[in-house]
Amino acid sequence: MEGEFTPLKNGQHLIKVRRRGTFRRLYYVNDDMSQLSYSGSKKLKCLGVALGIDLGDVQEIREGRLTDILNKREPKPPEELCFSLVMKNGSLDLIAESREARDLWVKGLRTVIQACSASNLKVRDLRQLWIQESFSRADKSKDGMLSFEEVLALMNTMNAGVPKETAKKMFDEIALSDDKKGKAALNLEQFRKLYEKLTMRPEIEELFKKYSGENMSINAEALKEFLETEQKESVTLVDCKQLIEKFEPSKDPSRTGEMGPEGFKMLLLSRNQELFSPKHNEVYQDMTQPMSHYFIASSHNTYLLEDQLKGPSSVEGYIRALVKGCRCVELDCWDGSDNEPVVYHGHTLTSKILFKDIIRAVNEFAFKSSEYPLILSLENHCSVKQQDVLAKYLTEILGDKLYKKPLSRDQEVLPSPEFFKNKILIKGKKLPQPAEGQDTTDGEDGGEVSDEDEAADIPDEQVPEEVKKVVEKGSKKSKLKLSKNLSDLVVVCKSVHFSSFEQQRQKYKFYEMSSFTESKAEALAQNQPTEYVKHNTWQLSRIYPKGTRTDSSNYQPYKMWNVGCQVVALNYQTDGHEAMHINLGKFRDNGSSGYILKPAFLRQENSTFDPNGNYGDITPKKLKFKIISGQMLPKPNSSRKGEVIDPYVKLKIVGVPADNKKATTSVVQNNGLNPEWNEEFEFQVNVPELATFRLKIRDKDVTSGDEYIAQYALPFTSMQQGYRHIKLLSKHGEQLPMASLFVHVDIQ
């Protein structure tokens, strides 16, 4: 493998692309494979400095022109020479001198990043890596030693909340005299010892002692008892011996087959011992039922990155949604110049992007996160001429991925996600089907259908004057000329107007579907809940945010899931709020496939389920949830230097109205490193299969208001019982390094 990286270490010239121009630089990977560096900048040449990016910050590598910077570059660079390193706050966009060179860099960098990714590191290795990185950042003098002042500053960044006198005592106990400076300092190994002292876990040690006996070790029999009694897991002695071998760090032959305190802690920190069930990280549900029997992860106005009136449109919106497992994305299509259809939010000042660029990105990313069908929801406002261009791009770019084969006339229910695996479906208007035996040569150029325009739902009072001055507010047309070429691509998701549940049954087919504003859907869920449940057993329903949400805020999706609505579309760009946390938490289930099988009572056509009170024979559950402790909680982004947080935890269950409950822990003063709560809460959950559990951690601040620290959400049915760790997420869904909660769960 080492030979593969030689060209990357020796370096090659690549062209760096930025909005203001291009720059030729010599790029190379440093010796420890942790950084991509470059030289050649005139600004830094006189200083002899090389710049670079930490490869640990790279989230993905894309081939081709799949970022805004490369996509909007004119003249467009050759697709086969381009690649991008995508990070949290932007991308590094590069052009190689040849396709072979591009492929070499992409393959090599992906290998390095994959090998070093947190998901491939053992818990112990990940912790050691974090300690080493923390030490390096704190070592301002770069001499491989930390003074007391540097250690104290690092403790503050770690939210330790340790008094200065206590910190000095711990430091002096471990410190090594540095003769060069005449004062004590810690090297890396000594800092590791200090870190271990700071992060001792007495709550885990107490649990360990319960099963270890006098010799302070756990054998396979004791581990089996712990896993079965406390964790409610079914394991064999062979399983337990393998776990001891995997997690016990001591290689002392006299302790073979036994686990000490450190190994026990590593076991409890491992992925299989997290709150979220590892079985639900895989597709485990029946995927052969009609598509109307599944909740489908869905996005609204996917092209927008910010608000609904003036913000930018971007191909990046589609890539981000697809990477998160979204299975239905929306495209608002309008006539563009030079016979090139564009996508933007009509009647607003949002920017425009080419339809074909979106389809290229969809072709690349459609099945990166899930192999189950992707729905392209087209809101079509184009002329017939440009509709033909839409059909041409869909057919040519997507190729065999696009499902075009008409359903059999004998078909009575929607095909399954399994049937449509790795296929892209088009949702949109469709011309009336000719009766059997009817001549189909008439109407080859198309015909008229009713028009839909979600942008026209925005109330005039919500539109700023600056927007009104530039664009004329649209009004809904009653009819739209539809191209036969585009119509033929709509097979199973034909858009139709909803009038009533009775008419829908009498007039429409299983492959037709209606869209509802959140207000309309909520009214139906409140006033005709059982009828809505029955309707959603055989037809798809798409819900989208009301027009007043010009800030791209979201409604609560669980209210729609309660009556079986499948395509509950949210603004994915607004990922820092509760609605998206709940949505992404729910769709972690079933292997993050974007499809979750609805409960049986939402799939039966004769269902009498009413989320407002009639639950039938569903068995309620009692949840006892204990918040024990927290580990390595970060400071809020706006936190003042040197300030240590005062954390507290807010818990919430959402689902049917009777299950919507909240609870809050007390505040732990001045400790983000290892706060302890030991507080238990009890919840009655009437409909477990529709319940989603969410928690968030905040910093108590009486001066400027409480601030956000972390969050986590998951389906109630995906919870594991016993002593579990929760790997916490940021407000925007990123994993927070080393941050966790230790909890105990009991479900009766």
Side-chain angles (χ1 to χ4, degrees):
M1 180 181 282
E2 185 65 28
E4 290 181 44
F5 303 127
T6 301
L8 276 63
K9 287 185 174 181
N10 292 340
Q12 289 184 352
H13 281 98
L14 301 169
I15 296 173
K16 178 182 179 180
V17 183
R18 302 185 70 177
R19 294 191 190 281
R20 69 174 190 268
T22 58
F23 308 88
R24 193 168 185 264
R25 301 282 186 259
L26 178 67
Y27 281 87
Y28 57 94
V29 175
N30 62 357
D31 288 339
D32 66 0
M33 312 295 276
S34 67
Q35 196 171 52
L36 176 65
S37 303
Y38 70 85
S39 59
S41 169
K42 291 181 181 179
K43 291 181 182 178
L44 298 167
K45 190 173 182 180
C46 59
L47 301 175
V49 174
L51 292 180
I53 63 169
D54 187 342
L55 291 175
D57 294 334
V58 178
Q59 295 177 336
E60 61 174 309
I61 298 177
R62 298 178 188 167
E63 301 171 59
R65 298 190 302 264
L66 288 173
T67 63
D68 282 347
I69 288 178
L70 285 172
N71 197 39
K72 294 177 179 178
R73 183 77 191 162
E74 294 294 346
K76 292 198 181 298
E79 185 97 20
E80 67 275 9
L81 303 184
C82 299
F83 68 105
S84 303
L85 280 66
V86 180
M87 293 152 286
K88 177 182 175 182
N89 296 316
S91 61
L92 172 62
D93 300 289
L94 301 167
I95 304 174
E97 294 179 342
S98 67
R99 179 164 193 156
E100 291 74 19
R102 193 279 303 267
D103 291 347
L104 175 73
W105 277 96
V106 169
K107 181 182 178 183
L109 289 173
R110 279 179 176 161
T111 302
V112 172
I113 292 167
Q114 179 68 16
C116 298
S117 69
S119 61
N120 281 335
L121 290 173
K122 295 179 180 177
V123 176
R124 189 181 303 108
D125 295 335
L126 185 60
R127 187 173 63 168
Q128 296 304 324
L129 179 63
W130 187 90
I131 292 171
Q132 187 171 330
E133 289 176 348
S134 298
F135 182 91
S136 298
R137 283 195 300 269
D139 183 14
K140 302 299 182 185
S141 60
K142 302 302 177 188
D143 62 353
M145 305 291 288
L146 294 187
S147 66
F148 175 67
E149 289 73 20
E150 288 173 324
V151 168
L152 194 62
L154 179 54
M155 283 184 174
N156 280 331
T157 65
M158 292 165 62
N159 256 325
V162 178
K164 188 173 181 178
E165 297 76 16
T166 305
K168 186 70 169 73
K169 184 179 179 181
M170 296 173 73
F171 179 89
D172 288 340
E173 287 175 357
I174 300 173
L176 171 72
S177 177
D178 183 351
D179 295 330
K180 292 180 181 179
K181 295 187 176 180
K183 61 179 181 178
L186 300 184
N187 60 26
L188 176 59
E189 288 310 310
Q190 291 167 325
F191 176 68
R192 288 190 203 277
K193 292 179 183 178
L194 177 63
Y195 174 82
E196 296 299 340
K197 274 198 168 190
L198 283 169
T199 57
M200 287 178 65
R201 299 286 302 276
E203 72 277 32
I204 291 183
E205 288 182 20
E206 185 179 335
L207 185 61
F208 174 79
K209 289 175 182 177
K210 183 178 176 181
Y211 288 89
S212 63
E214 294 180 1
N215 64 350
M216 291 298 290
S217 65
I218 290 178
N219 59 22
E221 288 79 6
L223 183 58
K224 186 174 188 291
E225 183 186 358
F226 165 75
L227 293 173
E228 291 181 341
T229 304
E230 304 285 0
Q231 309 297 76
K232 305 295 189 287
E233 296 179 22
S234 177
V235 291
T236 65
L237 279 176
V238 173
D239 295 331
C240 295
K241 289 175 182 177
Q242 290 173 346
L243 289 172
I244 291 172
E245 185 177 344
K246 180 177 181 180
F247 291 104
E248 174 53 42
S250 173
K251 302 305 176 187
D252 183 350
S254 66
R255 296 190 62 175
T256 301
E258 295 180 344
M259 177 181 279
E262 181 67 10
F264 185 69
K265 183 166 74 171
M266 291 301 103
L267 169 67
L268 285 178
L269 283 166
S270 66
R271 190 176 187 187
N272 282 359
Q273 295 299 313
E274 290 179 19
L275 180 64
F276 188 85
S277 171
K279 295 174 183 176
H280 293 194
N281 281 318
E282 309 294 332
V283 175
Y284 67 94
Q285 296 176 342
D286 178 7
M287 302 300 283
T288 64
Q289 298 198 30
M291 278 182 64
S292 55
H293 288 186
Y294 298 83
F295 297 122
I296 304 172
S298 306
S299 163
H300 170 251
N301 287 356
T302 316
Y303 47 88
L304 294 178
L305 297 183
E306 296 174 9
D307 64 82
Q308 305 282 312
L309 296 175
K310 298 181 292 181
S313 304
S314 172
V315 171
E316 187 67 26
Y318 292 89
I319 296 173
R320 291 177 186 174
L322 292 171
V323 167
K324 289 178 179 177
C326 184
R327 295 289 83 196
C328 178
V329 297
E330 185 179 12
L331 301 87
D332 289 356
C333 307
W334 299 80
D335 281 359
S337 57
D338 301 322
N339 203 34
E340 285 287 356
V342 295
V343 170
Y344 83 113
H345 202 200
H347 320 302
T348 71
L349 291 180
T350 56
S351 62
K352 301 174 182 178
I353 47 178
L354 294 179
F355 177 83
K356 66 179 178 183
D357 288 341
I358 295 172
I359 301 307
R360 284 174 179 158
V362 166
N363 185 54
E364 178 71 21
F365 286 88
F367 303 108
K368 293 281 187 185
S369 297
S370 172
E371 60 186 350
Y372 290 98
L374 172 66
I375 301 170
L376 302 186
S377 180
L378 301 187
E379 190 175 302
N380 172 25
H381 307 282
C382 294
S383 62
V384 172
K385 182 180 179 182
Q386 292 208 17
Q387 288 177 46
D388 285 337
V389 178
L390 299 179
K392 176 175 176 285
Y393 286 143
L394 289 167
T395 304
E396 292 182 355
I397 296 173
L398 300 179
D400 291 341
K401 293 175 186 170
L402 183 64
Y403 189 86
K404 297 177 289 187
K405 185 180 178 182
L407 296 177
S408 166
R409 291 184 182 272
D410 297 330
Q411 187 96 22
E412 295 182 350
V413 296
L414 283 166
S416 68
E418 186 70 27
F419 178 85
F420 287 127
K421 192 183 282 188
N422 292 310
K423 293 296 181 183
I424 295 173
L425 310 174
I426 305 300
K427 172 195 169 291
K429 291 292 182 178
K430 186 173 180 66
L431 296 170
Q433 279 189 294
E436 196 166 359
Q438 181 180 327
D439 185 3
T440 59
T441 57
D442 292 336
E444 287 184 352
D445 295 331
E448 287 190 337
V449 293
S450 60
D451 185 34
E452 290 180 354
D453 187 357
E454 290 178 14
D457 291 338
I458 301 175
D460 285 334
E461 61 269 20
Q462 293 283 326
V463 182
E465 287 301 320
E466 59 190 290
V467 177
K468 289 180 181 177
K469 288 177 182 177
V470 181
V471 299
E472 183 181 347
K473 187 70 174 68
S475 59
K476 294 184 180 180
K477 300 176 186 176
S478 58
K479 292 292 180 182
L480 171 78
K481 268 275 196 180
L482 183 61
S483 152
K484 183 177 184 301
N485 291 329
L486 187 60
S487 172
D488 287 346
L489 299 183
V490 178
V491 178
V492 293
C493 296
K494 176 185 174 183
S495 298
V496 296
H497 176 73
F498 176 85
S499 52
S500 71
F501 294 124
E502 186 179 6
Q503 280 205 18
Q504 212 80 358
R505 260 297 186 192
Q506 294 173 354
K507 187 177 177 182
Y508 294 122
K509 306 292 186 183
F510 64 89
Y511 54 79
E512 296 171 317
M513 62 181 292
S514 301
S515 292
F516 307 80
T517 65
E518 61 172 286
S519 303
K520 176 70 171 176
E522 283 185 5
L524 290 170
Q526 182 63 39
N527 300 322
Q528 297 178 271
T530 304
E531 289 85 347
Y532 212 172
V533 168
K534 291 177 180 177
H535 170 79
N536 288 323
T537 64
W538 70 284
Q539 263 196 348
L540 294 176
S541 290
R542 174 178 172 269
I543 319 300
Y544 62 94
K546 58 188 177 184
T548 54
R549 295 188 182 275
T550 55
D551 59 350
S552 294
S553 60
N554 282 310
Y555 55 91
Q556 288 291 4
Y558 63 85
K559 296 179 181 179
M560 314 307 171
W561 296 329
N562 287 343
V563 288
C565 296
Q566 305 89 348
V567 186
V568 180
L570 299 182
N571 291 306
Y572 266 58
Q573 72 271 32
T574 313
D575 58 3
H577 297 280
E578 180 179 282
M580 271 305 294
H581 294 164
I582 290 170
N583 186 71
L584 294 175
K586 183 179 184 68
F587 281 103
R588 287 187 65 188
D589 196 6
N590 204 31
S592 298
S593 63
Y595 284 81
I596 297 175
L597 185 64
K598 296 195 290 187
F601 55 81
L602 293 181
R603 306 195 307 264
Q604 298 157 351
E605 286 195 38
N606 60 349
S607 175
T608 59
F609 179 76
D610 176 356
N612 301 316
N614 180 15
Y615 309 140
D617 57 359
I618 297 170
T619 303
K621 301 280 188 182
K622 182 181 288 185
L623 168 67
K624 290 182 179 179
F625 198 95
K626 186 176 185 180
I627 304 285
I628 301 173
S629 62
Q631 296 79 41
M632 302 299 294
L633 304 182
K635 295 182 180 182
N637 290 334
S638 59
S639 180
R640 293 182 292 277
K641 191 173 182 180
E643 191 179 60
V644 177
I645 64 170
D646 305 321
Y648 65 95
V649 185
K650 300 189 78 170
L651 302 85
K652 188 174 189 177
I653 291 181
V654 298
V656 299
D659 287 342
N660 296 336
K661 300 182 179 74
K662 300 178 182 178
T664 305
T665 69
S666 59
V667 176
V668 174
Q669 300 291 333
N670 206 39
N671 189 351
L673 181 68
N674 51 6
E676 288 194 29
W677 285 278
N678 288 308
E679 296 180 32
E680 186 172 83
F681 304 91
E682 192 170 303
F683 303 92
Q684 167 94 358
V685 184
N686 296 284
V687 187
E689 291 179 279
L690 289 177
T692 303
F693 181 85
R694 177 179 182 258
L695 57 80
K696 62 181 175 181
I697 305 175
R698 296 180 72 87
D699 173 25
K700 190 70 177 178
D701 191 331
V702 295
T703 305
S704 57
D706 297 357
E707 295 187 271
Y708 215 103
I709 297 175
Q711 57 88 18
Y712 189 84
L714 79 167
F716 178 85
T717 52
S718 293
M719 275 191 194
Q720 296 200 98
Q721 297 192 69
Y723 292 92
R724 303 292 174 180
H725 279 93
I726 299 172
K727 302 297 175 65
L728 296 169
L729 305 175
S730 74
K731 189 175 185 178
H732 298 286
E734 297 107 356
Q735 190 87 51
L736 293 170
M738 308 298 291
S740 64
L741 280 184
F742 188 46
V743 303
H744 183 266
V745 178
D746 180 37
I747 299 173
Q748 299 171 1

